[in-house]
Amino acid sequence: MLHLRRVRPGDVAALSDICLRTADHGADATGVLDDDEIWGAVFAVPYAQRHPEFAFVVAGDDEQPHGYVVATPDTDDFEAWFRDVWWPRFADRWPEPAADDTSRRAGILRYAFGRRPGAEPHARRYPAHLHIDLLPSGQGQGWGRRLIEREFDELRAAGVSGLHLGTSAQNTGALAFYDRLGFERLPSGPGSQDFGIEFTVR
């Protein structure tokens, strides 16, 4: 039986795997890049490392995660840490791509190397951001909503005033999900859709 719990140190490999298996516009991205571990190192694991207090999983009876939500309460602070502490450890393994490299891998790595405070235009109004992913085994049962609501509760309790997130414009299921949760659609870059929501802080 699935249940919601806080992330644990032993969950790191599972977070990376779930990120990979949902990274291709919601579908499995295994083999899309030449190194499957890039996805988790950019979009999932650093959040659980930096802010375990804002990281939750949906786990089975064996405690194996089937989905997660991870977040930072302060995007600019997180991006400074990502740039200065987290990403340098991967720079030799995944060097910055050449300017003329237009591959999907290059786009993700270029994003990782370019992360910095002030780069996210929505962070001022919506200072927090999150990533949420569920394997098919955890979908269609209300766990996505429960993960989001738990995250909202934690962020409100921490005094956070708002949150933004982005998803692929091709991920129609995610777009409908965020609309149902009351997010506002925000101006977005090509191929993506950003959302924001403001909190009433307790």
Side-chain angles (χ1 to χ4, degrees):
M1 188 176 211
L2 296 179
H3 59 280
L4 192 156
R5 62 166 172 79
R6 289 188 182 275
V7 74
R8 299 171 182 168
D11 294 330
V12 168
L15 297 185
S16 187
D17 181 63
I18 293 166
C19 183
L20 166 66
R21 291 165 63 191
T22 56
D24 192 20
H25 311 298
D28 192 343
T30 300
V32 169
L33 308 181
D34 62 351
D35 190 333
D36 287 338
E37 293 186 19
I38 293 173
W39 299 103
V42 175
F43 299 111
V45 178
Y47 295 86
Q49 296 285 336
R50 178 66 167 167
H51 292 295
E53 71 276 23
F54 295 111
F56 302 91
V57 300
V58 173
D61 290 336
D62 59 358
E63 295 300 338
Q64 184 69 13
H66 292 242
Y68 65 80
V69 63
V70 292
T72 175
D74 185 328
T75 294
D76 285 339
D77 176 76
F78 180 84
E79 299 298 343
W81 173 83
F82 186 97
R83 177 195 61 193
D84 299 337
V85 178
W86 178 257
W87 194 246
R89 71 185 74 180
F90 301 106
D92 290 337
R93 180 176 177 182
W94 301 314
E96 190 164 5
D100 61 350
D101 188 342
T102 60
S103 67
R104 191 168 180 184
R105 178 185 190 275
I108 294 168
L109 292 181
R110 203 168 282 124
Y111 164 73
F113 276 97
R115 294 180 74 164
R116 65 193 187 281
E120 172 47 62
H122 304 305
R124 186 165 186 176
R125 183 177 177 187
Y126 309 100
H129 74 267
L130 66 73
H131 293 279
I132 179 172
D133 289 301
L134 280 165
L135 296 177
S137 56
Q139 295 174 10
Q141 305 165 60
W143 287 111
R145 177 180 287 273
R146 278 175 252 182
L147 283 169
I148 289 277
E149 289 176 347
R150 177 62 183 272
E151 194 68 79
F152 284 4
D153 287 344
E154 297 290 333
L155 291 168
R156 287 191 193 97
V160 177
S161 59
L163 174 144
H164 69 274
L165 57 84
T167 191
S168 165
Q170 298 179 46
N171 192 340
T172 55
L175 298 176
F177 175 68
Y178 297 125
D179 286 337
R180 287 195 302 272
L181 287 174
F183 280 84
E184 174 188 356
R185 294 198 180 204
L186 304 174
S188 310
S192 65
Q193 179 60 61
D194 295 341
F195 290 87
I197 193 166
E198 293 181 301
F199 300 138
T200 301
V201 180
R202 296 171 184 168

